[in-house]
Amino acid sequence: MGTPFKEESLNSIMKYMDPNCRLLLNQKCPALQTLEKSTPLKIDYLHINSSFLQINTTTYKLGVVRQYTAGDPPQWVHQNNLQGGVDHDLSPFGECGMTQKDHESIGIGEHDIQELKRLERKLKDLERLPTFVRIKVGHTENYEIRERLKRLQDRLATSRARYFTCVRLTVTSQLTGVTLEHVTYNQGFRNFLEYFFKKILEGRRIRVKTLHVDHDVQRWNMNNMLTPKSLEIRRLKIDRNTDQIWECVRSWLIEEHGQLELLKV
């Protein structure tokens, strides 16, 4: 068994480690958490969004997804899941930003059931007609009935599908590719987001060459989400100049490093 590193040696090593490796080390080695968190975290590029953090070339994204256990999800649900989930809470009947078509694809009412049965009867009646009569009726009506019937059948199948909702953490890195983790969706998305951001940034002394803050973070209470002990920034980029974003960023800056080399809005 080798001789363990002394605290001074570990501190020196951590100063030059990749910040994402340090975050992983913090999670995997509880004995080193205090030492790791007390060592300033050096980041070349930090991008803050309302649903993700990008640290250098690694992105940590949170999203709410539906996992289907029976039946196929609607196409728009499938697409949202592929993109890592949505950045807001879901209700049993849909979510913000859905189109009427999306809403219709989730469930089916009693009126729709009756219409489905009526179309099925009408289609059977058409198929019982002699060939020359069906030709006279024409293909158009037959086609329209089949199309309307298919849409209702698809909606019925979707309404019977079973799914559960969870929060997905998608970690995308140039070195490790894409990693997915899922957590039971038992509280609001904002609470998950605040906990996750604090887990990474709270109480740290962070030195950033370039900090990029998206304007959509003003949807949340940024002072609850982002709580570094101190923040040194050389270059700051803000998408839209809003008082809320600027006041929050300014509150992070330690006084002796409050002068920015570049401010871009």
Side-chain angles (χ1 to χ4, degrees):
M1 184 174 179
T3 303
F5 281 111
K6 293 183 178 180
E7 184 171 318
E8 294 80 5
S9 300
L10 283 172
N11 192 298
S12 299
I13 293 172
M14 285 182 183
K15 287 180 180 179
Y16 300 100
M17 284 181 66
D18 177 84
N20 297 290
C21 290
R22 280 185 48 182
L23 294 175
L24 183 60
L25 181 67
N26 184 284
Q27 297 301 309
K28 300 295 184 181
C29 302
L32 295 177
Q33 286 180 353
T34 301
L35 176 62
E36 188 280 320
K37 210 163 186 179
S38 65
T39 305
L41 190 67
K42 296 180 180 180
I43 300 173
D44 290 329
Y45 179 74
L46 177 61
H47 186 181
I48 300 173
N49 181 272
S50 65
S51 63
F52 71 78
L53 277 176
Q54 181 182 345
I55 300 176
N56 293 347
T57 59
T58 300
T59 302
Y60 304 84
K61 174 179 170 57
L62 279 178
V64 183
V65 298
R66 291 184 175 92
Q67 300 279 49
Y68 279 72
T69 57
D72 296 323
Q75 181 59 36
W76 61 270
V77 172
H78 178 66
Q79 190 62 34
N80 284 341
N81 287 351
L82 283 179
Q83 295 172 355
V86 295
D87 61 352
H88 49 262
D89 292 312
L90 301 181
S91 73
F93 304 104
E95 55 192 90
C96 303
M98 285 174 51
T99 65
Q100 182 61 31
K101 183 178 179 181
D102 293 336
H103 276 291
E104 290 175 353
S105 72
I106 293 177
I108 189 166
E110 183 60 31
H111 173 77
D112 299 310
I113 296 291
Q114 296 302 321
E115 175 68 4
L116 188 149
K117 293 179 178 178
R118 186 187 71 80
L119 291 172
E120 287 177 338
R121 290 194 298 268
K122 190 169 184 178
L123 187 61
K124 288 181 179 179
D125 291 340
L126 283 175
E127 291 174 345
R128 291 194 188 101
L129 294 174
T131 303
F132 73 93
V133 178
R134 290 206 306 270
I135 294 174
K136 187 175 181 180
V137 170
H139 295 289
T140 302
E141 183 178 359
N142 194 323
Y143 175 79
E144 290 177 350
I145 291 174
R146 289 180 183 277
E147 283 295 301
R148 289 166 60 192
L149 187 59
K150 184 179 183 306
R151 286 197 295 270
L152 286 170
Q153 288 171 338
D154 288 344
R155 286 174 58 190
L156 179 61
T158 301
S159 70
R160 290 174 174 171
R162 296 292 178 265
Y163 66 86
F164 63 94
T165 309
C166 59
V167 175
R168 172 180 293 171
L169 170 62
T170 306
V171 182
T172 307
S173 170
Q174 291 182 347
L175 296 177
T176 60
V178 179
T179 304
L180 301 179
E181 295 183 15
H182 294 94
V183 181
T184 303
Y185 182 53
N186 54 12
Q187 57 181 307
F189 177 71
R190 175 174 172 175
N191 292 333
F192 276 108
L193 199 65
E194 288 184 0
Y195 170 80
F196 176 70
F197 276 41
K198 283 183 178 181
K199 191 74 174 176
I200 292 181
L201 301 178
E202 187 176 35
R204 290 184 178 276
R205 289 181 292 155
I206 302 174
R207 297 171 181 171
V208 184
K209 285 185 179 179
T210 301
L211 173 63
H212 180 185
V213 183
D214 285 346
H215 71 276
D216 59 353
V217 297
Q218 62 189 314
R219 294 166 50 196
W220 316 114
N221 187 337
M222 294 177 61
N223 287 317
N224 287 342
M225 291 169 54
L226 307 173
T227 54
K229 186 175 182 180
S230 64
L231 188 61
E232 299 177 31
I233 307 171
R234 289 181 60 184
R235 300 177 181 88
L236 174 62
K237 178 182 178 183
I238 302 177
D239 290 346
R240 296 186 195 174
N241 185 15
T242 67
D243 292 339
Q244 181 188 3
I245 294 176
W246 173 243
E247 286 301 319
C248 188
V249 172
R250 188 166 62 182
S251 70
W252 303 333
L253 295 170
I254 56 177
E255 293 182 3
E256 59 265 34
H257 295 280
Q259 296 299 319
L260 297 175
E261 181 180 301
L262 175 67
L263 171 61
K264 183 177 181 181
V265 178

